[in-house]
Amino acid sequence: MFPEKSGNPLLRFGVVADPQYAPITPNIQLDRHYANSLDKLRQALTHFDDLDLSFVVTLGDLIDRDFDNFDRVLPLYEGSRHQCLFLPGNHDFAVAPERLGEVHGRLGMPAPYHDFVRNGWRFILLDGNEISLFAPPPGDPRRTEAADRLTRLEQVGAVNAKPWNAGMSAAQIGWLGERLLLAEQAGERVVVMGHYPLFPQTDHTLWDGEQVAALLSASPVVAAYLCGHNHVGNYGFLGGCHFVNFKGMVDGETESAFAVVELYRDRIEIIGFGREESRSLAF
């Protein structure tokens, strides 16, 4: 299935997490410098343009707030020579209620969750905002379901019982299982991407994190799950799946954080820049 030698990457792509751009003053306590993300993104995209990449993906929180900020940051990506893919994070829905339904379209997404295949690898992009207090429009029953889930998590003292986290529907989790089975039948390897961490458990973990992590780790074809949201970054290994949480670009006044991911037959190489760590993850 993979004719390339193990020393040659099957493909490579660029990764950005949590730029959270906004033309506002920094949050010094959190070390978040929102306006500086424009220059950091220019640096990352310029570096990516010098490489042969299959695509560039931003793992959520492109903006910190306000729909108009998409118009200030997306033109940077439009100048890239690579295909640029996005999935939204919680901050991307910090917009006027009447514009909530426009977020996925503004990011050029074909659907809130979807997948595609490149060179024998299936990439699955999840919608971790589906059941949340912020992404569905006011009056949507998913907001009520989110409030109920959050209450139940609070009652059992769950560390991730936070209003800025969210969850997935049973229908989406079922769809994910179907796509993993399809990939297995097709002889494909899989990389899954989302905004919210799944494993290890932290106060930033997806509300359904344990269930989804178990599904991915039980699959013989899933190589990795890539995410953002937790700006300090993280890493875990469960079953045969590497869980990589990339650091937030918005953190730090001048030093950036982004990465290039290379997929090989026997491993994943992550080449980190700035604050992002480099990793070699064997299968």
Side-chain angles (χ1 to χ4, degrees), residues 1-210:
M1 185 178 74
F2 297 122
E4 291 86 350
K5 297 178 181 178
S6 63
N8 300 321
L10 299 160
L11 56 83
R12 58 169 64 91
F13 55 94
V15 173
V16 172
D18 301 83
Q20 274 185 233
Y21 168 73
I24 58 177
T25 57
N27 184 324
I28 300 302
Q29 182 179 2
L30 295 177
D31 196 25
R32 294 181 182 173
H33 299 261
Y34 309 98
N36 295 3
S37 286
L38 285 186
D39 286 338
K40 293 178 183 179
L41 277 170
R42 289 190 188 97
Q43 175 192 7
L45 291 168
T46 297
H47 181 82
F48 292 154
D49 275 348
D50 290 335
L51 303 174
D52 181 18
L53 302 178
S54 183
F55 56 86
V56 172
V57 63
T58 299
L59 298 173
D61 285 359
L62 179 61
I63 62 169
D64 182 74
R65 66 192 74 177
D66 299 332
F67 196 89
D68 289 347
N69 285 326
F70 286 125
D71 295 334
R72 298 182 175 95
V73 67
L74 283 172
L76 298 181
Y77 290 88
E78 292 165 3
S80 172
R81 74 183 185 93
H82 301 300
Q83 180 186 19
C84 294
L85 307 176
F86 302 88
L87 55 85
N90 52 308
H91 281 274
D92 294 308
F93 292 98
V95 301
E98 63 271 17
R99 309 211 73 170
L100 287 170
E102 302 176 42
V103 171
H104 293 105
R106 187 67 185 91
L107 294 176
M109 300 177 64
Y113 52 92
H114 58 99
D115 63 342
F116 61 93
V117 177
R118 297 278 169 87
N119 198 18
W121 285 78
R122 183 174 297 268
F123 296 90
I124 301 176
L125 279 65
L126 300 180
D127 178 18
N129 307 288
E130 186 180 19
I131 309 298
S132 68
L133 299 174
F134 43 81
D140 190 298
R142 290 174 296 174
R143 286 204 177 210
T144 303
E145 181 179 351
D148 291 342
R149 285 198 195 184
L150 181 57
T151 297
R152 291 195 298 270
L153 289 169
E154 290 171 339
Q155 289 172 343
V156 299
V159 67
N160 63 334
K162 307 294 183 182
W164 29 263
N165 291 329
M168 294 163 51
S169 68
Q172 183 180 173
I173 295 174
W175 172 87
L176 171 60
E178 293 170 356
R179 304 318 283 178
L180 296 181
L181 180 59
L182 177 63
E184 184 176 354
Q185 294 170 342
E188 300 161 345
R189 295 303 301 268
V190 175
V191 171
V192 184
M193 303 180 188
H195 181 61
Y196 300 91
L198 303 178
F199 179 84
Q201 178 86 336
T202 73
D203 61 351
H204 284 71
T205 306
L206 185 81
W207 288 343
D208 320 282
E210 291 182 0

